[in-house]
Amino acid sequence: MNRNDLRRVDMNLLVIFEALMFERNLTRVAEKLFMGQPAVSAALGRLRDLFDDPLLLRNGRGMEPTARALAILDELQPAMDVISGAVSRAKAFDPATSCDVFRIGMSDDAEFGLFPPLLRQLQEEAPGIVVVVRRANYLLMPTLLASGEISVGVSYTTDLPANAKRKKLRDIPCKVLRGDDRPGPLTLDEYCARPHAMVSFSGDLSGNIDLDLAKVGRTRRVVLGVPQFSGLRALLAGTEMIATVPDYAACALVEGCALRAEDPPFPIDAAQLSMAWSGVHDNDPAEKWLRSRISQFMSKELDIPAV
């Protein structure tokens, strides 16, 4: 196909093709792209004609891409990234007049402990923008970035897509939350003897804290797993339960209530909270503004009230 032939190709079809390859479901693609399902189905038919391939085949209740479709995706994605980046760099960005929609992925601890002051600043500078937050962790972040469902994410991260970039925001020191009224900090024996609550997005009842405890030959007893940090305030108050949480989540949880936060009675290796973003948005003026604000407000040291 020469350059003149490209005039026959609808760029919107290629965007729909990419979404179909990631979602593999017509309804989800329709929701993601704000289209009707019949329109997505019609677009799939046109894509099949364009590429002379079925592209997606029924497999039980789901759909699976053909080998040809996956090969096309591998060739098409880098080109679409380049086009998207070129268009983005051509746009000026004025926060005061912008009506852009920003899609951010965040782990629950970052959303609960660090997002509120960031949001206040974003709304002050850019009152017309829309911010959509998606729940993300180190497992979900690569897929959300690769599919374009988010442009930037904040979480503890491990593997990322090849074109993604990453910046460390801060270390994640831990604090022990407690809601009892006994004086003095917990000893290691008391810490291990107490029942523990744990925030677990996946439902697991062990994590890095248990690995650090194992280094000193100890274990803990987790009696409660919850999916988000906001519930800990009511759950711990007036009980013997304790929870070990990132310092910024502890700062938000102790504010205005009877909970208190103290240092753990054993060494905990601090993980890192990072900001990750797709390389295609690296030079986008709007995204650069957003990332600068995330870095500014999510890297700040916190003043946690002493026990």
Side-chain angles (χ1 to χ4, degrees):
M1 178 179 285
N2 60 39
R3 295 297 174 90
N4 286 335
D5 291 330
L6 282 174
R7 291 181 301 170
R8 297 187 291 107
V9 179
D10 183 350
M11 188 68 184
N12 290 323
L13 282 180
L14 302 184
V15 174
I16 295 170
F17 169 79
E18 184 180 44
L20 284 167
M21 290 301 100
F22 283 110
E23 298 294 340
R24 304 179 186 185
N25 180 285
L26 299 184
T27 301
R28 288 201 297 269
V29 169
E31 292 172 350
K32 179 179 177 180
L33 300 181
F34 304 101
M35 300 172 62
Q37 186 170 330
V40 175
S41 182
L44 177 57
R46 293 173 62 193
L47 285 163
R48 284 168 168 163
D49 289 339
L50 176 64
F51 292 119
D52 192 23
D53 187 88
L55 300 179
L56 285 172
L57 298 173
R58 287 285 175 191
N59 183 8
R61 294 185 178 181
M63 301 182 80
E64 292 294 331
T66 64
R68 171 73 176 137
L70 293 175
I72 293 169
L73 180 65
D74 285 342
E75 294 180 352
L76 191 62
Q77 260 198 300
M80 292 184 69
D81 285 348
V82 170
I83 293 170
S84 179
V87 172
S88 295
R89 286 190 291 275
K91 297 188 302 180
F93 178 70
D94 178 10
T97 60
S98 173
C99 295
D100 285 7
V101 177
F102 293 97
R103 299 183 181 276
I104 310 173
M106 286 189 199
S107 55
D108 182 63
D109 56 313
E111 180 187 346
F112 179 74
L114 298 173
F115 182 56
L118 168 65
L119 180 62
R120 288 191 289 272
Q121 181 65 25
L122 296 181
Q123 291 176 330
E124 180 179 329
E125 290 187 42
I129 67 170
V130 176
V131 179
V132 179
V133 177
R134 295 286 302 274
R135 183 59 49 81
N137 60 14
Y138 73 98
L139 295 173
L140 298 176
M141 189 78 72
T143 300
L144 291 171
L145 284 171
S147 67
E149 292 176 73
I150 61 173
S151 62
V152 62
V154 177
S155 175
Y156 163 76
T157 58
T158 52
D159 297 329
L160 291 171
N163 73 335
K165 298 180 179 290
R166 171 168 33 199
K167 176 184 178 180
K168 175 185 172 182
L169 294 175
R170 61 187 299 135
D171 289 324
I172 311 178
C174 288
K175 293 286 185 178
V176 179
L177 282 178
R178 51 191 293 197
D180 62 275
D181 57 2
R182 297 184 202 172
L186 294 170
T187 66
L188 179 58
D189 286 341
E190 289 170 335
Y191 178 92
C192 295
R194 288 281 192 99
H196 288 251
M198 178 177 173
V199 178
S200 173
F201 180 73
S202 63
D204 293 335
L205 294 179
S206 64
N208 290 335
I209 300 300
D210 299 280
L211 298 178
D212 290 314
L213 268 175
K215 292 176 184 176
V216 295
R218 306 300 291 267
T219 61
R220 64 175 176 168
R221 183 169 58 97
V222 177
V223 301
L224 175 67
V226 294
Q228 53 194 27
F229 284 85
S230 57
L232 289 178
R233 182 180 283 123
L235 294 168
L236 297 183
T239 76
E240 290 290 293
M241 269 196 307
I242 57 177
T244 308
V245 303
D247 63 343
Y248 44 85
C251 187
L253 283 162
V254 300
E255 186 177 356
C257 76
L259 294 186
R260 51 189 168 138
E262 61 187 50
D263 292 330
F266 63 99
I268 294 178
D269 291 335
Q272 292 183 355
L273 187 74
S274 296
M275 174 173 63
W277 65 96
S278 171
V280 69
H281 297 295
D282 196 34
N283 291 308
D284 183 311
E287 293 289 336
K288 288 176 73 173
W289 170 79
L290 174 64
R291 293 196 302 270
S292 72
R293 297 304 179 266
I294 290 174
S295 183
Q296 178 184 355
F297 280 85
M298 291 193 164
S299 300
K300 283 184 175 180
E301 294 297 323
L302 301 175
D303 182 18
I304 302 177
V307 174

